[in-house]
């Protein structure tokens, strides 16, 4: 949630709509909304695109986000393996 709050604050300070930020960062406006509402976690390249589109350092979007190795009690981060790719017919 903290990333989303930081993104929303930075976007408003830059006086950009979600649509405008999406165009500048080459992301869809719905992606911006999902990130702002904490429904999606930004990848590193997305973080850099967003920061660049608003002419701010990427660290500004990460302000207040902390993680200590082995600390999963906060519920802020979850680590999971991506699902395997779907099998195609004829593959074993």
């Amino acid at each position: 949630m903290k990333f989303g709050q930081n993104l929303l604050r930075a976007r408003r300070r830059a006086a950009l709509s979600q649509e405008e930020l999406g165009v500048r960062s080459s992301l869809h406006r719905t992606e911006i909304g999902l990130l702002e509402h904490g429904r999606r976690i930004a990848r590193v390249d997305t973080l850099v695109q967003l920061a660049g589109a608003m002419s701010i350092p990427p660290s500004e979007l990460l302000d207040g986000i902390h993680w200590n190795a082995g600390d999963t009690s906060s519920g802020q981060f979850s680590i999971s393996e991506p699902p395997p790719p779907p099998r195609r017919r004829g593959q074993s």
Side-chain angles (χ1 to χ4, degrees), residues 64-79:
I65 298 174
H66 305 283
W67 180 78
N68 296 317
D71 180 12
T72 58
S73 61
S74 68
Q76 288 286 339
F77 303 98
S78 62
I79 301 171

Side-chain angles (χ1 to χ4, degrees), residues 17-89:
S17 67
Q18 288 180 347
E19 183 77 30
E20 290 169 318
L21 180 56
V23 169
R24 288 184 180 198
S25 62
S26 299
L27 298 168
H28 196 276
R29 69 171 175 75
T30 57
E31 178 76 7
I32 306 297
L34 291 170
L35 290 165
E36 286 182 354
H37 290 98
R39 294 190 182 122
R40 187 161 293 168
I41 297 173
R43 298 181 329 192
V44 172
D45 59 328
T46 303
L47 169 74
V48 172
Q49 285 172 264
L50 290 166
M54 294 184 285
S55 299
I56 61 173
S59 60
E60 189 171 319
L61 296 175
L62 298 173
D63 188 42
I65 298 174
H66 305 283
W67 180 78
N68 296 317
D71 180 12
T72 58
S73 61
S74 68
Q76 288 286 339
F77 303 98
S78 62
I79 301 171
S80 62
E81 294 281 293
R87 295 180 125 188
R88 295 185 180 178
R89 290 185 184 165

